[in-house]
Amino acid sequence: MDSTTHKPKLSTHIRYIVLALIFVNIIINYMDRTNLSIAMPEMSKELGLSTVQQGLLFSAFGWIYAAMQVPGGILLDKLGSRITYTISLFFWSVITCFQSLVGSFSGILGLRLGIGFFEAPVMPANNRAVSYWFPDNERGTAIGIYSSAQFLGLAFSTPLLFAIHQSIGWRGLFIVTGAIGIVWSIVWFIIYHDPDKSPWVGQDELQYIQDGGGISEAELLKQNANKPKAKITAENLKKLFNRRLIGIYLGQFAISGTFWFFLTWFPTYLTKAKGINFLQSGFLSMIPYLAAFVGVILAGSISDRLIRAGKSESFARKAPVITGLLLTLLIMGANFVSSPALIIMFMSIAFFGNGLATITWVFVTALAPKNLLGLAGGIFNLCGALSSIVIPIVIGFLVAKGNFSSALIFIAAIALLGALSYIFVVGKIDLHENEE
């Protein structure tokens, strides 16, 4: 039976539980990334932080996060998603709690570096887990769903985080968000296993996943028994830096650039540049996040439907990404309006486009050698992480005098470069070219 055209009735559906676990992982992950932007107004007053220092703190997470992508990918290929994720989630959550104790710029800077260190393997681990648990014809939708968690989670957690902040202050905010992660790391360790080690998956579901192209650890070991795994050799570097992979690396920097604007400077943009009060900005910020969530869901489902309908893989996978990057250019429209409704409209269209483009993890699975998925994912995420360094700092300088117009133009220009990369550098792709 062709699993790409018909889904058989299975005795278990553990892969959906795994997807739900990953979904919660990402919500917690991005909650711990964004809590600083919510705490920053009060914290900067208490600690006497300048705008330049604030920009450095926003970017500090990305410094070591980017540097650890490749080592994190190697560790992931050795330890797997279960152990790697448990260690990462537990320790970044502990450090999040420690942020409540700081009393200086250097203290918070050091702790943000620590969070970046332990969060480094997270996105490659998500991609690895989905690649193991989902067949080809479901993988785009699965990636779209877990990618949407960062937007849906931020949309609904942001007002909650504002409320926590208002109730117990910025120090209490760090304690609460850190404690949630510590508890969830235990839940993940207990429940998650790779498919061939899961005590709950049915044999028919396991067979369905593997017949549909899901990655099997046993099969990888068999295929690569005499090959070095996840090592940085000249041969592997050549595979990991071919033209198309370079194209998606560049595209990931562009896509992440828009995201990091919203994750760091967006609340300040609403309150300082547009004069929207603090609490109102917390609720208004939900709208662009929800728009991005819709974009991610549409990207994954439409892409998979196009594949199942017989459209070319290149068109089905690239069209949402290119369209989304071009829609992001409309962020510049906010420069020409003053009404909060119109500002949020332009921001929502731009972030919808960003969500539409966020399905790019599917290209790692499609183009990278299967025995190097962790390492390729690390490089891919490294390029996205570089934007977390560059964007907050550059915007910090661009808005030094309180004018965000040049910052929005900067974000749009990066998005345009990303679209051009997918059009001219990535070129035509084949989902199955690395199966041999």
Side-chain angles (χ1 to χ4, degrees):
M1 181 176 294
D2 185 357
S3 63
T4 64
T5 59
H6 177 68
K7 293 183 181 180
K9 292 184 178 179
L10 304 174
S11 61
T12 61
H13 297 87
I14 302 301
R15 65 192 186 282
Y16 299 137
I17 296 176
V18 168
L19 185 58
L21 292 173
I22 295 172
F23 193 91
V24 175
N25 286 349
I26 296 177
I27 290 177
I28 294 173
N29 180 255
Y30 279 91
M31 182 175 63
D32 289 339
R33 295 189 193 192
T34 196
N35 53 17
L36 180 64
S37 67
I38 295 171
M40 185 60 76
E42 181 182 336
M43 186 175 72
S44 62
K45 291 180 182 179
E46 182 175 329
L47 302 184
L49 304 176
S50 68
T51 54
V52 174
Q53 288 176 318
Q54 292 175 51
L56 289 171
L57 289 178
F58 281 140
S59 72
F61 166 90
W63 302 350
I64 197 165
Y65 181 82
M68 289 302 297
Q69 285 306 301
V70 173
I74 294 174
L75 182 68
L76 175 61
D77 281 329
K78 292 181 179 296
L79 299 182
S81 295
R82 182 174 183 244
I83 300 300
T84 302
Y85 224 129
T86 300
I87 294 172
S88 296
L89 179 52
F90 178 81
F91 282 104
W92 96 57
S93 298
V94 169
I95 296 173
T96 296
C97 291
F98 284 161
Q99 288 180 118
S100 66
L101 304 175
V102 298
S104 65
F105 168 77
S106 59
I108 193 70
L109 179 67
L111 291 174
R112 292 299 292 180
L113 291 172
I115 292 174
F117 178 89
F118 283 106
E119 286 196 14
V122 165
M123 295 310 289
N126 293 330
N127 188 60
R128 182 187 184 278
V130 167
S131 297
Y132 275 59
W133 271 100
F134 284 85
D136 289 337
N137 67 313
E138 296 181 8
R139 195 170 297 150
T141 298
I143 291 174
I145 290 172
Y146 86 63
S147 296
S148 73
Q150 60 195 20
F151 303 112
L152 188 64
L154 288 171
F156 289 101
S157 67
T158 297
L160 177 61
L161 295 179
F162 270 92
I164 294 172
H165 179 279
Q166 287 291 106
S167 177
I168 56 178
W170 64 270
R171 296 182 186 274
L173 175 64
F174 288 134
I175 293 174
V176 171
T177 52
I180 291 171
I182 292 172
V183 172
W184 188 253
S185 69
I186 299 171
V187 174
W188 169 265
F189 179 77
I190 293 172
I191 298 178
Y192 180 82
H193 298 79
D194 284 344
D196 54 358
K197 298 178 182 178
S198 173
W200 300 291
V201 67
Q203 185 60 38
D204 54 350
E205 183 182 12
L206 183 61
Q207 194 65 46
Y208 170 72
I209 294 169
Q210 294 179 356
D211 288 348
I215 296 174
S216 166
E217 188 69 23
E219 186 64 24
L220 279 182
L221 291 174
K222 180 179 178 181
Q223 292 177 1
N224 299 284
N226 299 317
K227 298 179 182 179
K229 183 179 180 182
K231 293 183 179 179
I232 302 178
T233 65
E235 180 182 358
N236 284 342
L237 285 175
K238 185 177 179 180
K239 294 177 181 178
L240 293 169
F241 286 94
N242 62 54
R243 177 178 59 82
R244 282 171 292 183
L245 283 174
I246 290 174
I248 69 169
Y249 298 157
L250 293 174
Q252 186 65 6
F253 177 88
I255 294 166
S256 297
T258 300
F259 179 76
W260 278 97
F261 163 74
F262 279 93
L263 197 66
T264 56
W265 283 105
F266 185 49
T268 302
Y269 168 77
L270 292 178
T271 56
K272 301 296 184 181
K274 296 300 182 179
I276 301 173
N277 70 60
F278 184 75
L279 289 178
Q280 186 183 9
S281 69
F283 286 98
L284 288 177
S285 64
M286 290 180 62
I287 301 174
Y289 287 132
L290 288 173
F293 166 75
V294 173
V296 173
I297 293 298
L298 287 178
S301 60
I302 290 174
S303 182
D304 277 352
R305 287 184 181 183
L306 289 172
I307 289 287
R308 291 194 291 268
K311 301 298 182 182
S312 74
E313 294 161 337
S314 183
F315 175 80
R317 298 310 193 192
K318 286 174 58 181
V321 177
I322 295 171
T323 301
L325 283 164
L326 293 177
L327 283 174
T328 302
L329 301 181
L330 293 178
I331 196 172
M332 292 186 295
N335 285 337
F336 306 101
V337 297
S338 57
S339 164
L342 292 177
I343 292 167
I344 294 301
M345 181 192 74
F346 282 113
M347 289 289 165
S348 296
I349 294 172
F351 216 16
F352 169 82
N354 189 252
L356 202 63
T358 308
I359 194 177
T360 46
W361 272 101
V362 75
F363 295 106
V364 178
T365 302
L367 300 177
K370 286 189 174 181
N371 68 311
L372 298 172
L373 268 181
L375 186 53
I379 296 171
F380 179 78
N381 212 38
L382 165 63
C383 294
L386 289 175
S387 69
S388 71
I389 300 173
V390 174
I391 299 303
I393 292 177
V394 171
I395 291 179
F397 281 101
L398 291 175
V399 305
K401 296 182 179 180
N403 188 342
F404 271 82
S405 296
S406 57
L408 300 189
I409 294 172
F410 171 64
I411 294 298
I414 291 177
L416 178 60
L417 290 175
L420 294 175
S421 177
Y422 268 94
I423 294 170
F424 296 109
V425 182
V426 176
K428 186 177 181 179
I429 64 170
D430 180 353
L431 187 65
H432 302 289
E433 66 183 50
N434 287 307
E435 286 193 344
E436 69 277 358

